[in-house]
Amino acid sequence: MPEQTRAGRRRSAAPSKGDLREQRILDGLAELLAAKGFDALTINDLAERAGISRASTYFYFSSKQEALVALFARTIEALREKSRAAAGDPAEPEDAIATAMTRTRDRWHEHGLVMRAAIDQSPAIPELAALWQETADIFVDAIATILVRAGADAGDGPGGAQAVARALCWMVERTFYHASAQSPEALDQASETCRVVWLRTAGLER
């Protein structure tokens, strides 16, 4: 009986057919972003890439915009988790900063195309803008926590850790956005530059 219970749990934990179909649609969308770009692709493209009918695609997503929101949410979940981990990193600030930048760089290496598409479309798709803002807020809190540990002012003024962290966050976003569109090497260099800027802002490097 216990074995049946464990087996039942394993079966229930497995993705359903619908879950797998939704994943195929999102995986196909990521591929189509590289092949066609978001503006040119259609629901028919998503259906064909996923190997399902147009009607079935509409069962999961009412539009390509809704599919992009779901893809972006899936993509940035790991980035959110790593940003939260950065805030609680017990390492010395220099090491915590290096780790945070490496994790962020790796996410852009893996999913830069999706992230750029979501950023580009966010003015027209409020859900994307909200997801990105929520993710940025998590990163800002992590940066501010590390800055305070490095001796920065914890106040609320323009020179306080939270305000400085917000400026650093959006600097990183813009820098990574442009570098990831150029080459992997440009992204690596941008990551190192952002690391140095963060260190100097924290007074940890001259």
Side-chain angles (χ1 to χ4, degrees), residues 143-164:
I143 296 173
T145 298
I146 295 173
L147 288 175
V148 170
R149 288 179 51 216
D153 177 14
D156 296 330
Q162 198 72 17
V164 173

Side-chain angles (χ1 to χ4, degrees), residues 70-188:
L71 176 61
F72 187 51
R74 187 181 76 173
T75 299
I76 62 174
E77 184 53 39
L79 183 58
R80 291 183 176 209
E81 292 175 3
K82 294 179 187 303
S83 293
R84 292 188 185 99
D89 191 339
E92 290 299 315
E94 295 94 330
D95 295 330
I97 290 169
T99 299
M101 291 309 307
T102 297
R103 288 171 171 171
T104 305
R105 179 206 64 196
D106 290 349
R107 205 64 189 161
W108 277 89
H109 267 307
E110 294 171 17
H111 302 289
L113 188 64
V114 173
M115 294 168 76
R116 290 198 311 274
I119 291 169
D120 289 341
Q121 296 299 321
S122 62
I125 307 174
E127 294 85 355
L128 288 174
L131 280 171
W132 196 228
Q133 183 63 59
E134 290 166 7
T135 304
D137 288 343
I138 295 170
F139 193 43
V140 167
D141 288 343
I143 296 173
T145 298
I146 295 173
L147 288 175
V148 170
R149 288 179 51 216
D153 177 14
D156 296 330
Q162 198 72 17
V164 173
R166 190 171 297 108
L168 284 171
C169 171
W170 292 113
M171 176 207 68
V172 169
E173 189 254 24
R174 285 289 87 189
T175 303
F176 278 32
Y177 173 93
H178 290 291
S180 69
Q182 297 174 28
S183 68
E185 294 75 19
L187 186 56
D188 289 339

